[in-house]
Amino acid sequence: MISKVITAAVRGISAMRIQVETDISKGLPQVTVVGLGDTSVKESRDRIRAAVVNCGFQFPSARVTVNLSPAYLRKKGSHFDLAIAVGILASSGQVFDRKLSDIGFMGELSLSGDVKGCDGILPMIMELRKTGVGGAVIPFENAGEAALFDDMDIYPVKTLAEAAEVLNLERTPERGGMPEKGRIPYKGRKPEKAAGSGETAEKEFTECENPGDFGDVKGQEQAKRAIMIAVAGGHGILMTGSPATGKTMLSSRIPDIMMPMDREEILETTAIYSIAGLLKPGSKGVMRRPFRSPAAGISKAGLIGGGYPPVPGEITLAHRGVLFLDEVGEYDRDVLDSLRIPLEKKQVTLVRRGEKYVFPADCLLVAASNPCKCGYYGDGSGRCTCTEEEIRRYRGKLSGPIIDRIDMHIYLYPVNYEALGERDGVTTAQMREKIRRAWLIQKERYKGTDVRLNAGLTEKEAAKICRADDEGEELLRSAYERLKLNPRTVFKVRKIARTVADVEGEEFIKSVHVAEALQYRERA
């Protein structure tokens, strides 16, 4: 008898539906698994045999052939265990097979028959859902991820025996495990309005992680303004300044002024973290925009992804959030240069063994750097001990092409004593409100296009949308000639000026907006 069980295989940050075909025929007792499975798949034979017996079932004393289809696709992972075991039970008549065509099975089996948690459960469920599968049997440890869906029958199980109960119609499904106010809507369901405001209840998706308020940062109001512009338009930003000027403190607060993620962003981000194995047991997904701050000694593979099969790097883990490179002058130059294409294309493309993998990389790049190795060059204190050659070498870690791809450049000066007592600094709530309005303006402007924020405009699009009034164009022309700007810099200045105007609620770009935008590029 042949049984067909549905499961899935992870490919990059997505998944592909897999069909496990099991045939039991006369012959010497043995189990053969075909279909380009790796070592963990081939070793499943011994795990499954012990799990079946220890859960009170009978392992067939016959020839068992298991095919993982499509056979041309390489398959890796121990999560195929549960599907293969269910296939064997179905082929030997020990469970009903009436629901096999509408339920997917994922999970690793221990020798005792326990179903253990696996990485990548969320993208696999997403793939099954997309192909019309109505339910999924998953490890109990991964139930939190599955709670993001309330239009699928989810069966969290702890043992193989419990998985068999699903087929025998002895277990009822779950549909989402989140409270109603935090559950993600589906199939066009509109989230409820938050009481007393015009915003949706999707604000509930933000986790209660608060590194502090921008109002706590004293004496850096110009830097706060620059960060607000950067976030509002999606512009990368490089902050240079001596130690203790607040670069790290400001950067760590950036996720709190970004808008809450919508449903698709939550699913996309959670899928990435699921594949990377970074979700905590029982976690209901990534609800807050990511903030990734890799160490300076990170490798190229760690930053943009690598290995086989490829795993996402830090720039992908920062997707829809912030990638913060602290003390960027300490990073290896070749590692930094590997960011050039991902920053421009908003994705990472890797080729391994003839297969192409694409990882998303649409994040806000925030870099912080000292002006020199000792950190005090140009701060007016006279404490710098670096030679000209050391300063040149330190600054050379950021190549011209990388600097050119970072839209905004600002310098943070040491805070004077009087500023420490200031109480009227711009707060996180004030910055968030201005950014919210700017994002809504851009959302309406770019409706029906692939552009989300001003930073994503092409040169052709920017020529139409980011043109200033006559006075602003004359100012830009003068700056181009006097400051020896290049065409790419002018392109970025136009986009930054458009964002400045959006933050101020202005429909047209004026000379004052162009002037502010030029300030953010003069140190490039």
Side-chain angles (χ1 to χ4, degrees):
M1 177 181 173
I2 297 179
S3 66
K4 297 179 180 180
V5 179
I6 300 170
T7 186
V10 172
R11 283 180 56 80
I13 65 159
S14 58
M16 184 173 181
R17 177 170 166 164
I18 301 295
Q19 186 167 263
V20 178
E21 300 173 324
T22 305
D23 176 64
I24 299 178
S25 58
K26 295 180 180 180
L28 294 175
Q30 63 176 354
V31 179
T32 304
V33 181
V34 297
L36 283 184
D38 71 345
T39 303
S40 62
V41 177
K42 294 176 181 178
E43 288 179 346
S44 67
R45 296 173 297 188
D46 298 321
R47 291 194 299 271
I48 292 169
R49 183 187 296 273
V52 168
V53 173
N54 288 326
C55 282
F57 299 103
Q58 192 168 13
F59 198 87
S61 297
R63 181 181 179 88
V64 179
T65 304
V66 178
N67 177 43
L68 306 180
S69 176
Y72 67 84
L73 181 69
R74 296 181 183 276
K75 305 166 188 72
K76 179 180 180 179
S78 57
H79 67 276
F80 294 106
D81 289 5
L82 185 58
I84 295 174
V86 168
I88 292 174
L89 294 179
S91 291
S92 58
Q94 300 183 68
V95 294
F96 292 122
D97 60 359
R98 67 185 70 181
K99 298 184 68 175
L100 280 182
S101 61
D102 196 45
I103 297 180
F105 292 82
M106 291 86 69
E108 177 186 332
L109 290 176
S110 68
L111 298 183
S112 63
D114 293 336
V115 180
K116 304 172 69 175
C118 300
D119 297 335
I121 287 293
L122 180 61
M124 287 191 282
I125 293 178
M126 292 171 65
E127 173 63 19
L128 297 183
R129 180 172 177 258
K130 185 171 66 176
T131 58
V133 178
V137 177
I138 62 170
F140 186 83
E141 294 177 26
N142 299 110
E145 299 174 54
L148 292 172
F149 301 98
D150 56 5
D151 59 342
M152 281 189 74
D153 292 335
I154 303 298
Y155 302 88
V157 298
K158 295 181 178 180
T159 65
L160 174 60
E162 291 183 359
E165 290 175 359
V166 174
L167 291 175
N168 291 334
L169 306 180
E170 296 172 356
R171 294 184 72 84
T172 57
E174 297 179 5
R175 282 183 175 262
M178 300 174 67
E180 184 62 32
K181 70 175 183 179
R183 187 176 298 161
I184 297 177
Y186 71 94
K187 291 184 179 178
R189 187 177 104 192
K190 295 181 179 179
E192 298 177 357
K193 295 285 184 179
S197 76
E199 299 178 28
T200 67
E202 290 185 57
K203 264 197 169 180
E204 300 293 341
F205 296 154
T206 305
E207 291 178 345
C208 298
E209 295 181 22
N210 186 7
D213 196 285
F214 271 97
D216 300 332
V217 183
K218 307 298 183 181
Q220 295 294 0
E221 297 305 306
Q222 290 183 337
K224 293 181 191 178
R225 168 75 178 184
I227 288 173
M228 183 172 63
I229 299 299
V231 174
H235 306 287
I237 184 170
L238 169 63
M239 295 182 287
T240 304
S242 54
T245 51
K247 301 185 295 294
T248 303
M249 184 183 294
L250 289 165
S251 301
S252 65
R253 288 159 167 74
I254 290 178
D256 283 346
I257 59 175
M258 302 175 83
M259 292 300 97
M261 292 193 291
D262 60 25
R263 174 180 181 272
E264 293 305 319
E265 289 175 326
I266 290 174
L267 288 176
E268 191 176 23
T269 306
T270 304
I272 292 171
Y273 277 71
S274 177
I275 287 171
L278 297 178
L279 289 181
K280 298 177 182 178
S283 170
K284 290 184 173 65
V286 180
M287 305 297 174
R288 186 174 186 266
R289 291 193 181 272
F291 181 86
R292 304 294 299 182
S293 181
I298 192 170
S299 65
K300 186 183 299 185
L303 188 60
I304 67 170
Y308 184 80
V311 294
E314 289 292 332
I315 192 171
T316 297
L317 295 174
H319 183 61
R320 303 301 187 192
V322 177
L323 176 64
F324 177 49
L325 303 181
D326 198 7
E327 302 297 347
V328 71
E330 302 294 334
Y331 286 73
D332 183 85
R333 177 166 175 159
D334 289 340
V335 172
L336 291 176
D337 280 344
S338 68
L339 291 174
R340 290 165 58 178
I341 295 178
L343 287 177
E344 189 170 339
K345 302 294 185 182
K346 301 298 183 183
Q347 64 181 29
V348 176
T349 302
L350 302 173
V351 178
R352 297 291 187 274
R353 300 185 184 179
E355 298 181 60
K356 185 169 76 171
Y357 298 83
V358 178
F359 296 126
D362 189 0
C363 62
L364 179 68
L365 176 66
V366 179
S369 175
N370 290 332
C372 64
K373 187 72 174 178
C374 75
Y376 298 104
Y377 176 76
D379 72 347
S381 67
R383 288 182 290 176
C384 180
T385 59
C386 300
T387 64
E388 290 187 8
E389 175 60 23
E390 287 174 333
I391 294 173
R392 185 194 63 79
R393 190 183 309 115
Y394 186 81
R395 293 187 171 184
K397 289 293 186 68
L398 275 175
S399 64
I402 285 292
I403 289 179
D404 222 23
R405 283 170 170 79
I406 301 177
D407 291 357
M408 301 173 61
H409 307 81
I410 62 173
Y411 197 95
L412 276 67
Y413 293 94
V415 180
N416 58 48
Y417 182 79
E418 288 73 19
L420 297 179
E422 293 179 353
R423 294 180 177 274
D424 56 351
V426 178
T427 65
T428 292
Q430 292 170 332
M431 294 173 70
R432 187 192 298 121
E433 177 58 25
K434 286 193 173 184
I435 291 170
R436 184 188 70 85
R437 292 200 302 263
W439 278 29
L440 290 176
I441 290 171
Q442 294 169 81
K443 183 178 181 180
E444 181 64 26
R445 179 190 298 139
Y446 303 128
K447 184 182 299 183
T449 72
D450 293 333
V451 179
R452 291 194 314 117
L453 299 173
N454 293 328
L457 290 171
T458 64
E459 291 192 35
K460 185 177 180 180
E461 293 166 335
K464 298 179 181 178
I465 298 173
C466 304
R467 187 164 184 83
D469 59 16
D470 292 342
E471 189 177 347
E473 287 296 325
E474 183 57 35
L475 176 60
L476 189 56
R477 178 193 295 275
S478 175
Y480 181 79
E481 296 172 351
R482 182 168 53 87
L483 301 177
K484 307 298 181 184
L485 305 180
N486 60 46
R488 176 177 284 174
T489 300
V490 172
F491 169 50
K492 291 187 178 296
V493 168
R494 287 188 183 279
K495 293 193 292 185
I496 296 171
R498 178 66 268 172
T499 301
V500 175
D502 289 340
V503 168
E504 297 303 319
E506 298 283 353
E507 182 179 356
F508 300 105
I509 300 175
K510 301 177 180 179
S511 59
V512 65
H513 305 142
V514 175
E516 182 174 352
L518 285 168
Q519 293 179 11
Y520 300 137
R521 290 295 302 182
E522 62 181 1
R523 294 185 180 275

